[in-house]
Amino acid sequence: MRGYATMDGGAESAAAHHLTEHLPEGTELLLGQYKITRYLNSGGFGITYLAQDSLDRTVVIKECFPGAFCRRNGVQVQARTQAHIAELEAVVGLFLREARSLAKLEHPNIVGVHQVFEFNNTAYMALDFIEGRNLLQLVNSPGRSLTPRQIRSILEKLLSAVGAVHQAGLLHRDISPDNIIVTDDYDPVLIDFGAAREQATKATQALSALRVVKDGYSPQEFYLAGSGQGPFSDLYSLAATFYHVITGEVPPDSQRRLSAHVAGEGDPYVPLRERTSAFGVPFCDALDRAMTVLPKDRIKTAEDWRRAMNAPPKAEAPTSRTSRALPMGVSTPRSGALSAPTRPAAPSKAVPATKRLPNTQTPKHRRAPLLVGAAAVAVIGGGVLLAPQRGDTTATAFAENEAQVERVFAAARPQPVADVPLPAASTGLVPGTQPEPLGNVLDELPVFASNGPITLDWALVPPFELDTEGRVLSTARGVAVDTAPGSRVMAIGDAPFVPGMDLSDTLRSAATSTDGKRAVIPMTTLSDDGAEAAQVQVAAQIVYATRIGRDLVIETTAGPQGWSSRVVTAPPDSTLRPNDEVIALIATGARFESGSALAEIVADAIQADQPTLGIAVRRGGAMWSADLPLPINAN
C-alpha cells in the first residue's frame, strides 16, 4: 500500500498538540469506518491524524479545520462567530472540491486519496499511508546524505508529479522538504495538499486569508493574499527545497530578496553553480532560474525545467562571484534615485511632472485616458474622487474636452502676488529653490482626456489648525512666525475668513506659487493682541491623488526622505490594502519620483493592455509584492 507518514511523535508534534483543537484518540468518523489513533500535525487549513480504517489498515485523515474561522464544540466543528458562518462554509466547500480533484490524480509520486467525506459539520480526506522519512529528516540526519545521482532521480520524479498537479488545474502551494516523503527505495511521494488551490477559480476570498508561507521556500507572491500565482510559484518552492537538500542551507527568504531587488542591491541568493560542481551547469542553472524573485523570469512549467536540467552544457567562460549575473535579473544599480527607464528626462525646474498640457491642436495622445485638475473633484483623506461619466472618445471630442479643461484651468489659475516679498524662511519651501507660478503645476501634470479610467488631482494640506473664529491653534513646521498660535487669520488670499468655510478649497484657490511639493498661500493675519495686521505667506503641502478605476485611490506627497505614495482606498478583492506604501515597480525597480509619476506609469501600462502592474509595497514594516489591478483600456 502506498502511504503517508511525516511525524515521529517528537517535540514538534507535542508542541503543536497543545496549540490546536484536535480530535482525541479513539474518535470514530463516518459511523465507525475510521478511528483516530494519533494526532500528527496541524496548520492554518486543517489537522492531520493517523487512523485505522474498518479493515484495520493504517491511513492518514486530513480534517478541514480553518482555525481562523472555526472552533471545536465536542467533536463538531462550528463557526467562531455568526459572521464566520459563510466563510467556513466556503472553505469547506472548496476543501471538498479540491479533495475530489486530488482523488483523480493517479501518479506514483503523489499521495493517494481514497475517500472524501463530510462529517462533524466539516470535511475529511482519507489518504494512503507510507513508511518513510521526509527530505528534511534526511538532510538533518548524519550519515544519510543523498548522492547527486539520487537527488537528480528524486527531482525528476517530483517534476513529473508536480507537472501532473498543474495539468489538473491545481497548485500545491506548500512544497517544502517536510512535505516530500522518501521511501527506503528512494522513491519520493509528494504529500500534504492542504494548501492546494484551484488555479483557475477564485471561489472564495476567505481561503486567501489562510496563507501558508514558509520562509526560504515560499515565493514572494505567496506572502500576499490574493496575489497572482501559478505553476511557477510551486516550481520556486521545489527549487528552494532542492537548494536546501544540495547545499544543506535554507535559501534566503523571498521577502529579503525582493527588498534587495527594489533597493537595487545585489541578490543575497548565491547561485547553485557557485555552491557545487557535482551536478553540472545545466542542472544548476535550471534550478536557479526556477528560483528567480520575479515570476516573469522563472521557468514556467515542470517540463521546461526537466528539459533545461538535462540539456547538454554550453561552453562558456567561468564566472566569478563579483561579476555574476543576478538570477533575479537585477542590473548594476544606477546612482541617485531610480526612475522609469522609458521616460524622458525631467525639466530642470522643480515641478512634479514631465509633460506639458497639450494644446487643442495636438492629435489624440496615444495613452490611456487620464483626467486631471479642476475637471476632477478630490476629497483628500476620504479617498473619494469623482470623474465625469465616460463619454465619446473620438478625436473631435478629445480635442474639445482638452480645450474645456484648459479653459477651466486658465480661469481658475491664481496670479502671483507681486507686491508681497517671498522670504524662503517663512514659507517652508525647499531651501535654495526658486518657486514657480502655481500654473506650472497644472501645466506639467499629464492630461490626456476629460474622461477615462485614471484621474489625477491635487489638493493642499492646511499648514495650521484654526478654531471657528480663525484663530491659529497650532502650526506645522516652516509656517511664518506671524501665524503663530494665538494670531487670527483674517483672509486667505482675497477671501475673507468665514466660519465654516471649506479651508482646503480656499487654500487651493488662493495658492500663488510652488516648488512642486508645496504651494505658497498669501494670507492676512491679526496679532493675538489685535494691535497689528500683517500680510504673510505660508506653505501648504501638495497632495496628489491618483484614482485608478472606481475604487483604488493612491495619494502621493513629498517629504524629507523623498516622494511617498500610500493607498487610501482599494477594491475588496485587491491585494492592496489602505495605508500600504507603494514603493516601486517590481519589474524595473523604478520608483515614483514625482506627484504624477504613478499615474503616468499606470497610463502606459493600460495603453499596453496590461491587466495588472507588479509593484512593491511596504506593509507592517515588511516589503511585499502586490498586483495593482488596471482598468480596461477604453481607447
Side-chain angles (χ1 to χ4, degrees), residues 21 23 47 49 63-67 69-80 88 92 119-124:
E21 300 179 79
L23 293 169
I47 305 174
Y49 308 90
E63 179 183 39
C64 181
F65 193 89
F69 306 138
C70 67
R71 59 186 177 86
R72 186 83 65 189
N73 184 6
V75 296
Q76 296 291 309
V77 175
Q78 65 181 38
R80 286 193 174 275
L88 178 60
V92 171
F119 203 66
N120 292 339
N121 200 37
T122 188
Y124 297 85

Side-chain angles (χ1 to χ4, degrees), residues 473-558:
L473 300 178
S474 62
T475 62
R477 189 178 68 176
V479 173
V481 293
D482 297 310
T483 54
S487 60
R488 183 178 176 185
V489 175
M490 303 300 295
I492 300 175
D494 295 330
F497 180 84
V498 178
M501 70 190 308
D502 188 323
L503 194 59
S504 180
D505 282 353
T506 304
L507 289 172
R508 175 167 170 157
S509 298
T512 59
S513 58
T514 182
D515 64 353
K517 301 175 182 179
R518 298 186 181 190
V520 177
I521 315 294
M523 299 193 325
T524 304
T525 64
L526 189 65
S527 61
D528 57 355
D529 59 4
E532 184 177 355
Q535 271 195 312
V536 299
Q537 300 197 57
V538 300
Q541 186 179 44
I542 301 177
V543 177
Y544 298 88
T546 301
R547 174 180 173 272
I548 304 168
R550 293 189 303 174
D551 302 317
L552 180 59
V553 178
I554 299 174
E555 291 181 354
T556 301
T557 56

Side-chain angles (χ1 to χ4, degrees), residues 10 121 135 167 272 451 502 560 567 577:
N121 200 37
L135 275 177
Q167 288 174 6
L272 184 60
N451 63 299
D502 188 323
V567 176
R577 298 291 182 268

Side-chain angles (χ1 to χ4, degrees), residues 599-614:
E600 292 189 81
I601 291 173
V602 167
D604 286 340
I606 293 176
Q607 185 64 29
D609 293 325
Q610 292 181 227
T612 61
L613 197 63

Side-chain angles (χ1 to χ4, degrees), residues 175-258:
I175 297 176
S176 58
D178 56 329
N179 282 335
I180 297 171
I181 299 296
V182 179
T183 68
D184 290 340
D185 296 329
Y186 295 99
D187 200 29
V189 178
L190 187 61
I191 65 168
D192 201 356
F193 284 74
R197 296 282 306 278
E198 289 198 17
Q199 178 185 353
T201 66
K202 291 184 178 179
T204 173
Q205 289 298 314
L207 193 55
S208 296
L210 299 175
R211 294 184 293 111
V212 171
V213 291
K214 293 179 179 176
D215 289 342
Y217 306 110
S218 296
Q220 45 92 1
E221 60 267 25
F222 280 0
Y223 283 81
L224 202 60
S227 59
Q229 302 167 13
F232 51 83
S233 304
D234 277 345
L235 297 182
Y236 183 103
S237 298
L238 185 62
T241 293
F242 276 81
Y243 187 94
H244 185 184
V245 170
I246 293 170
T247 67
E249 297 176 5
V250 179
D253 70 82
S254 59
Q255 291 296 280
R256 177 184 165 198
R257 298 180 65 195
L258 177 62

